[in-house]
């Protein structure tokens, strides 16, 4: 096994998703993941504290991108325009690997209560990070929280449509996410 071959983190994620899909999360061991990825166990633990974290591998980066986009939005932007800036920044960082793995990750999560709980915590964490970034821009807490919830819902809806859609399509994730945010904006206005 090569110890310092580049791309170990990505290979570990792909190997884990493949194994989770083939035999289930509970039946998959770290040893099987490292063998499939062609790395050592120490390499695995350098990147991940446990196998559960493989499916939320990009959460810190996603959170950072969302909050940077919010912080850099124009001063005169509305709360949802500010959220859109964060969503666009984060969406532009997603590429073909994210799109390819998404259906298998969703299937692994759907089949395991532990992973469903971890996924829910990820959503809460991302929403909290966005809320904090919006409050830092001067928005009232309730407005920031609502805008963040709509933003995360839009991201999830847009990501699902993008990852399940036509693989030959040229649409980038940001377009799907921003369209979902616009749809939610219209829907929320009709609540009265």
């Amino acid at each position: 096994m090569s110890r310092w071959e580049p791309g170990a983190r990505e290979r570990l994620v792909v190997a884990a998703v493949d194994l989770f899909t083939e035999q289930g999360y509970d039946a998959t061991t770290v040893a099987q993941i490292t063998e499939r990825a062609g790395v050592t166990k120490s390499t695995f633990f350098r990147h991940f504290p446990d196998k559960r974290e493989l499916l939320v591998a990009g959460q810190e980066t996603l959170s950072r991108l969302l909050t940077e986009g919010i912080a850099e939005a124009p001063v005169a932007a509305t709360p949802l325009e500010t959220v859109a800036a964060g969503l666009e920044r984060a969406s532009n960082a997603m590429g073909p690997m994210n799109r390819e793995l998404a259906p298998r990750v969703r299937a692994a999560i759907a089949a395991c209560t532990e992973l469903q709980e971890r996924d829910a915590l990820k959503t809460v964490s991302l929403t909290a990070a966005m809320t904090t970034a919006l409050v830092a821009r001067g928005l009232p807490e309730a407005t920031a929280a609502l805008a963040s919830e709509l933003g995360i819902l839009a991201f999830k809806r847009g990501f699902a449509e993008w990852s399940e859609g036509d693989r030959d399509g040229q649409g980038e994730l940001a377009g799907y996410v921003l369209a979902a945010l616009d749809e939610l904006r219209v829907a929320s206005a009709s609540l009265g």
Side-chain angles (χ1 to χ4, degrees):
M1 274 187 241
S2 174
R3 290 181 60 185
W4 301 108
E5 195 172 326
R9 183 178 179 88
E10 292 80 11
R11 287 196 326 273
L12 284 163
V13 170
V14 171
V17 169
D18 287 345
L19 286 164
F20 295 164
T21 302
E22 293 167 16
Q23 62 192 29
Y25 172 80
D26 291 329
T28 301
T29 66
V30 169
Q32 291 170 324
I33 295 168
T34 59
E35 182 179 332
R36 173 87 50 110
V39 300
T40 64
K41 277 189 179 181
S42 63
T43 298
F44 177 92
F45 289 112
R46 219 179 9 258
H47 292 284
F48 304 101
D50 57 47
K51 70 178 183 176
R52 184 175 47 135
E53 295 300 310
L54 284 156
L55 295 183
V56 292
Q59 179 177 345
E60 288 177 16
T61 301
L62 183 58
S63 182
R64 179 182 49 78
L65 291 169
L66 287 166
T67 58
E68 285 175 357
I70 288 169
E72 295 169 3
V75 174
T78 67
L80 286 182
E81 289 170 344
T82 304
V83 166
L87 294 173
E88 187 168 13
R89 176 92 173 248
S91 297
N92 286 335
M94 301 280 186
M97 182 176 154
N98 300 97
R99 190 175 193 183
E100 178 187 325
L101 290 178
R104 292 183 285 165
V105 169
R106 268 194 305 281
I109 291 170
C112 178
T113 302
E114 182 181 350
L115 294 179
Q116 291 169 15
E117 291 169 357
R118 182 62 186 94
D119 189 55
L121 288 174
K122 173 186 172 183
T123 299
V124 169
S125 176
L126 291 172
T127 304
M130 290 177 67
T131 300
T132 299
L134 290 166
V135 168
R137 286 180 57 99
L139 269 74
E141 177 77 29
T143 304
L146 181 57
S148 297
E149 291 285 350
L150 286 173
I152 290 299
L153 182 57
F155 186 82
K156 290 177 114 179
R157 290 175 64 142
F159 187 84
E161 187 176 334
W162 174 71
S163 64
E164 294 167 2
D166 179 13
R167 300 287 175 186
D168 296 329
Q170 299 301 315
E172 296 295 322
L173 174 58
Y176 288 89
V177 171
L178 296 176
L181 184 62
D182 284 340
E183 184 180 313
L184 291 169
R185 179 188 339 234
V186 170
S188 65
S190 71
L191 294 175

Coordinates of all heavy atoms in Angstrom, one line a residue, residues 22-75:
E22 N -22.8 -1.7 -1.3 CA -22.7 -3.1 -1.6 C -23.2 -4.0 -0.4 O -23.9 -5.0 -0.6 CB -21.3 -3.5 -2.0 CG -20.8 -3.0 -3.3 CD -19.3 -3.1 -3.5 OE1 -18.7 -3.9 -2.7 OE2 -18.8 -2.4 -4.3
Q23 N -22.8 -3.6 0.8 CA -23.0 -4.6 1.9 C -23.6 -3.9 3.1 O -23.9 -4.6 4.1 CB -21.7 -5.2 2.3 CG -20.6 -4.3 2.8 CD -19.3 -5.0 2.9 OE1 -19.0 -5.9 2.2 NE2 -18.4 -4.5 3.8
G24 N -23.9 -2.6 3.0 CA -24.5 -1.9 4.2 C -23.5 -1.3 5.1 O -22.3 -1.7 5.1
Y25 N -23.9 -0.2 5.7 CA -23.0 0.5 6.6 C -22.5 -0.3 7.8 O -21.3 -0.4 8.1 CB -23.8 1.8 7.1 CG -23.0 2.5 8.2 CD1 -22.0 3.4 7.9 CD2 -23.3 2.4 9.6 CE1 -21.3 4.1 8.8 CE2 -22.6 3.0 10.5 CZ -21.6 3.9 10.2 OH -20.9 4.6 11.1
D26 N -23.4 -1.0 8.5 CA -23.1 -1.8 9.7 C -22.1 -2.9 9.4 O -21.3 -3.2 10.2 CB -24.3 -2.3 10.4 CG -25.2 -1.2 11.0 OD1 -24.6 -0.2 11.4 OD2 -26.4 -1.3 11.0
A27 N -22.2 -3.5 8.2 CA -21.4 -4.6 7.8 C -20.0 -4.2 7.3 O -19.1 -5.0 7.1 CB -22.1 -5.5 6.8
T28 N -19.8 -2.9 7.1 CA -18.5 -2.4 6.5 C -17.6 -2.0 7.6 O -18.0 -1.3 8.6 CB -18.8 -1.2 5.6 OG1 -19.7 -1.6 4.6 CG2 -17.5 -0.7 5.0
T29 N -16.3 -2.5 7.5 CA -15.3 -2.1 8.5 C -14.3 -1.1 8.0 O -14.2 -1.0 6.7 CB -14.5 -3.4 9.0 OG1 -13.8 -3.9 7.8 CG2 -15.5 -4.5 9.5
V30 N -13.6 -0.5 8.9 CA -12.6 0.4 8.5 C -11.5 -0.3 7.7 O -11.0 0.2 6.7 CB -12.0 1.2 9.7 CG1 -10.7 1.9 9.3 CG2 -13.0 2.1 10.3
A31 N -11.2 -1.5 8.1 CA -10.2 -2.3 7.4 C -10.6 -2.6 5.9 O -9.8 -2.5 5.0 CB -10.0 -3.7 8.1
Q32 N -11.9 -2.9 5.7 CA -12.4 -3.1 4.3 C -12.3 -1.8 3.5 O -11.9 -1.8 2.3 CB -13.8 -3.6 4.3 CG -14.0 -5.0 4.9 CD -15.4 -5.3 5.1 OE1 -16.2 -4.4 5.5 NE2 -15.8 -6.6 4.9
I33 N -12.6 -0.7 4.1 CA -12.5 0.6 3.5 C -11.1 0.9 3.1 O -10.8 1.3 1.9 CB -13.1 1.8 4.3 CG1 -14.6 1.5 4.6 CG2 -12.9 3.1 3.7 CD1 -15.2 2.4 5.6
T34 N -10.2 0.8 4.0 CA -8.8 1.1 3.7 C -8.2 0.2 2.6 O -7.4 0.6 1.8 CB -7.9 1.1 5.0 OG1 -7.9 -0.2 5.6 CG2 -8.3 2.1 6.0
E35 N -8.6 -1.1 2.7 CA -8.1 -2.0 1.7 C -8.6 -1.6 0.3 O -7.9 -1.6 -0.7 CB -8.6 -3.5 2.0 CG -8.1 -4.5 1.0 CD -8.5 -5.9 1.4 OE1 -8.7 -6.2 2.6 OE2 -8.6 -6.7 0.4
R36 N -9.9 -1.3 0.2 CA -10.5 -0.9 -1.1 C -9.8 0.4 -1.6 O -9.6 0.5 -2.8 CB -12.0 -0.7 -0.9 CG -12.7 -0.2 -2.1 CD -13.2 -1.1 -3.2 NE -14.0 -2.3 -2.8 CZ -15.3 -2.5 -2.9 NH1 -16.0 -1.6 -3.5 NH2 -15.8 -3.6 -2.6
A37 N -9.5 1.3 -0.7 CA -8.9 2.6 -1.1 C -7.5 2.5 -1.3 O -6.9 3.4 -1.9 CB -9.2 3.6 0.0
G38 N -6.8 1.4 -0.9 CA -5.4 1.3 -1.1 C -4.5 2.1 -0.2 O -3.5 2.6 -0.6
V39 N -5.0 2.3 1.1 CA -4.3 3.1 2.1 C -4.2 2.3 3.4 O -4.9 1.3 3.5 CB -4.9 4.5 2.3 CG1 -5.0 5.3 1.0 CG2 -6.3 4.3 2.9
T40 N -3.4 2.8 4.3 CA -3.3 2.2 5.6 C -4.4 2.7 6.5 O -5.0 3.7 6.3 CB -1.9 2.5 6.2 OG1 -1.8 3.9 6.4 CG2 -0.8 2.0 5.3
K41 N -4.5 1.9 7.6 CA -5.5 2.4 8.7 C -5.1 3.7 9.3 O -5.9 4.6 9.6 CB -5.6 1.3 9.8 CG -6.6 0.2 9.5 CD -6.8 -0.6 10.7 CE -7.8 -1.7 10.4 NZ -8.0 -2.5 11.6
S42 N -3.8 3.9 9.4 CA -3.3 5.2 10.0 C -3.7 6.4 9.1 O -4.0 7.5 9.5 CB -1.8 5.2 10.3 OG -1.1 5.0 9.1
T43 N -3.6 6.1 7.7 CA -4.0 7.2 6.8 C -5.5 7.5 7.0 O -6.0 8.6 7.0 CB -3.8 6.7 5.3 OG1 -2.4 6.5 5.2 CG2 -4.2 7.8 4.3
F44 N -6.3 6.4 7.2 CA -7.8 6.6 7.4 C -8.0 7.5 8.6 O -8.7 8.5 8.5 CB -8.5 5.2 7.6 CG -9.9 5.4 8.0 CD1 -10.9 5.3 7.0 CD2 -10.3 5.6 9.3 CE1 -12.2 5.5 7.3 CE2 -11.7 5.7 9.6 CZ -12.6 5.7 8.6
F45 N -7.3 7.2 9.7 CA -7.6 7.9 11.0 C -6.9 9.3 10.9 O -7.2 10.1 11.8 CB -7.1 7.1 12.2 CG -8.1 5.9 12.4 CD1 -7.6 4.6 12.2 CD2 -9.4 6.1 12.8 CE1 -8.5 3.6 12.4 CE2 -10.3 5.1 13.0 CZ -9.8 3.8 12.8
R46 N -6.0 9.5 10.0 CA -5.5 10.9 9.8 C -6.5 11.8 9.2 O -6.6 13.0 9.4 CB -4.2 10.8 8.9 CG -3.1 11.7 9.4 CD -1.9 11.8 8.6 NE -1.8 11.1 7.3 CZ -1.2 9.9 7.1 NH1 -0.7 9.2 8.2 NH2 -1.1 9.3 6.0
H47 N -7.4 11.2 8.4 CA -8.5 12.0 7.7 C -9.8 11.9 8.4 O -10.6 12.9 8.3 CB -8.6 11.5 6.3 CG -7.5 11.7 5.4 ND1 -7.2 13.0 4.9 CD2 -6.5 10.9 5.0 CE1 -6.1 12.9 4.2 NE2 -5.7 11.7 4.2
F48 N -10.1 10.8 9.1 CA -11.5 10.7 9.7 C -11.4 10.0 11.1 O -10.6 9.1 11.2 CB -12.3 9.8 8.8 CG -12.5 10.3 7.4 CD1 -11.7 9.7 6.4 CD2 -13.4 11.3 7.1 CE1 -11.8 10.2 5.1 CE2 -13.5 11.8 5.8 CZ -12.7 11.2 4.8
P49 N -12.2 10.5 12.0 CA -12.1 9.9 13.4 C -12.8 8.5 13.4 O -12.5 7.6 14.2 CB -12.9 10.9 14.3 CG -13.7 11.7 13.3 CD -13.0 11.7 12.0
D50 N -13.8 8.3 12.5 CA -14.5 7.0 12.4 C -15.2 6.9 11.1 O -15.3 7.9 10.3 CB -15.5 6.8 13.6 CG -16.5 7.9 13.7 OD1 -17.1 8.3 12.6 OD2 -16.7 8.4 14.8
K51 N -15.8 5.8 10.8 CA -16.4 5.6 9.4 C -17.6 6.4 9.2 O -18.0 6.7 8.1 CB -16.7 4.1 9.2 CG -17.8 3.5 10.0 CD -18.0 2.0 9.6 CE -19.2 1.5 10.4 NZ -19.5 0.1 10.0
R52 N -18.3 6.8 10.3 CA -19.5 7.6 10.2 C -19.2 8.9 9.6 O -20.0 9.5 8.8 CB -20.0 7.8 11.6 CG -21.3 8.5 11.8 CD -21.7 8.5 13.2 NE -20.7 8.8 14.1 CZ -20.7 9.6 15.1 NH1 -21.9 10.2 15.4 NH2 -19.7 9.9 15.8
E53 N -18.0 9.5 9.8 CA -17.6 10.8 9.3 C -17.4 10.8 7.8 O -17.3 11.9 7.3 CB -16.4 11.3 10.1 CG -16.7 11.6 11.6 CD -17.8 12.6 11.8 OE1 -17.8 13.7 11.2 OE2 -18.7 12.3 12.6
L54 N -17.2 9.7 7.2 CA -16.9 9.6 5.8 C -18.0 10.3 5.0 O -17.8 10.9 3.9 CB -16.7 8.2 5.3 CG -15.4 7.6 5.7 CD1 -15.5 6.1 5.7 CD2 -14.3 8.0 4.7
L55 N -19.3 10.1 5.4 CA -20.4 10.6 4.6 C -20.7 12.1 4.8 O -21.5 12.6 4.2 CB -21.6 9.8 4.9 CG -21.5 8.3 4.5 CD1 -22.8 7.6 4.8 CD2 -21.1 8.2 3.0
V56 N -20.0 12.7 5.7 CA -20.1 14.2 5.9 C -18.7 14.8 5.7 O -18.4 15.8 6.4 CB -20.8 14.5 7.3 CG1 -22.2 14.1 7.3 CG2 -20.0 13.9 8.4
A57 N -17.9 14.2 4.9 CA -16.5 14.6 4.7 C -16.3 16.1 4.4 O -15.3 16.7 4.8 CB -15.9 13.8 3.7
G58 N -17.2 16.7 3.7 CA -17.0 18.1 3.3 C -17.8 19.1 4.1 O -17.8 20.3 3.7
Q59 N -18.3 18.7 5.2 CA -19.1 19.6 6.0 C -18.4 20.9 6.4 O -19.0 22.0 6.3 CB -19.7 18.9 7.2 CG -20.6 19.8 8.1 CD -21.2 19.1 9.3 OE1 -21.2 17.9 9.3 NE2 -21.7 19.9 10.2
E60 N -17.2 20.8 6.9 CA -16.5 22.0 7.4 C -16.3 23.0 6.2 O -16.4 24.2 6.3 CB -15.2 21.6 8.0 CG -15.3 21.0 9.4 CD -14.0 20.6 10.0 OE1 -13.0 21.0 9.5 OE2 -14.1 19.7 11.0
T61 N -15.9 22.4 5.1 CA -15.6 23.2 3.9 C -17.0 23.9 3.4 O -17.0 25.1 3.1 CB -15.0 22.4 2.8 OG1 -13.8 21.8 3.2 CG2 -14.8 23.2 1.5
L62 N -18.0 23.1 3.4 CA -19.3 23.6 3.0 C -19.8 24.8 3.9 O -20.2 25.8 3.5 CB -20.4 22.5 3.0 CG -21.8 22.9 2.5 CD1 -21.7 23.4 1.1 CD2 -22.6 21.6 2.6
S63 N -19.6 24.6 5.2 CA -20.0 25.6 6.2 C -19.1 26.9 6.0 O -19.7 28.0 5.9 CB -19.7 25.1 7.6 OG -20.1 26.0 8.5
R64 N -17.8 26.7 5.7 CA -17.0 27.8 5.5 C -17.4 28.6 4.2 O -17.5 29.8 4.2 CB -15.5 27.4 5.4 CG -14.5 28.5 5.1 CD -13.1 28.1 5.0 NE -12.9 27.0 4.1 CZ -12.9 27.0 2.8 NH1 -13.0 28.2 2.2 NH2 -12.6 26.0 2.0
L65 N -17.7 27.9 3.2 CA -18.0 28.5 1.9 C -19.4 29.2 2.0 O -19.5 30.4 1.5 CB -18.1 27.5 0.8 CG -16.8 26.9 0.4 CD1 -17.0 25.7 -0.6 CD2 -15.9 27.9 -0.3
L66 N -20.3 28.6 2.7 CA -21.6 29.3 2.9 C -21.4 30.6 3.7 O -22.0 31.6 3.3 CB -22.6 28.4 3.7 CG -23.2 27.2 3.0 CD1 -23.8 26.2 3.9 CD2 -24.2 27.7 1.9
T67 N -20.7 30.6 4.8 CA -20.5 31.8 5.6 C -19.7 32.8 4.9 O -19.9 34.0 5.1 CB -20.0 31.4 7.0 OG1 -18.7 30.7 6.9 CG2 -20.9 30.5 7.8
E68 N -18.7 32.4 4.1 CA -17.9 33.4 3.4 C -18.7 34.1 2.3 O -18.6 35.3 2.2 CB -16.7 32.7 2.7 CG -15.6 32.3 3.6 CD -14.5 31.5 2.9 OE1 -14.6 31.2 1.7 OE2 -13.5 31.2 3.5
G69 N -19.6 33.3 1.6 CA -20.5 33.9 0.6 C -21.4 34.9 1.3 O -21.7 36.0 0.7
I70 N -21.9 34.6 2.4 CA -22.8 35.5 3.2 C -22.1 36.8 3.6 O -22.6 37.9 3.4 CB -23.4 34.8 4.4 CG1 -24.5 33.8 3.9 CG2 -24.0 35.8 5.4 CD1 -25.0 32.8 5.0
A71 N -20.9 36.6 4.1 CA -20.1 37.7 4.6 C -19.7 38.7 3.5 O -19.6 39.9 3.6 CB -18.8 37.2 5.3
E72 N -19.5 38.1 2.3 CA -19.1 38.9 1.1 C -20.2 39.5 0.3 O -20.0 40.2 -0.7 CB -18.1 38.1 0.3 CG -16.8 37.8 1.0 CD -16.0 36.7 0.3 OE1 -16.3 36.3 -0.8 OE2 -14.9 36.3 0.9
A73 N -21.5 39.2 0.6 CA -22.6 39.7 -0.1 C -22.6 41.2 0.0 O -22.2 41.8 0.9 CB -23.9 39.1 0.4
P74 N -23.2 41.9 -1.1 CA -23.3 43.3 -1.0 C -24.0 43.8 0.3 O -25.0 43.1 0.7 CB -24.1 43.7 -2.3 CG -23.9 42.5 -3.2 CD -23.7 41.3 -2.3
V75 N -23.6 44.9 0.8 CA -24.2 45.5 2.0 C -25.7 45.7 1.9 O -26.5 45.4 2.8 CB -23.5 46.8 2.4 CG1 -24.2 47.5 3.6 CG2 -22.0 46.5 2.7

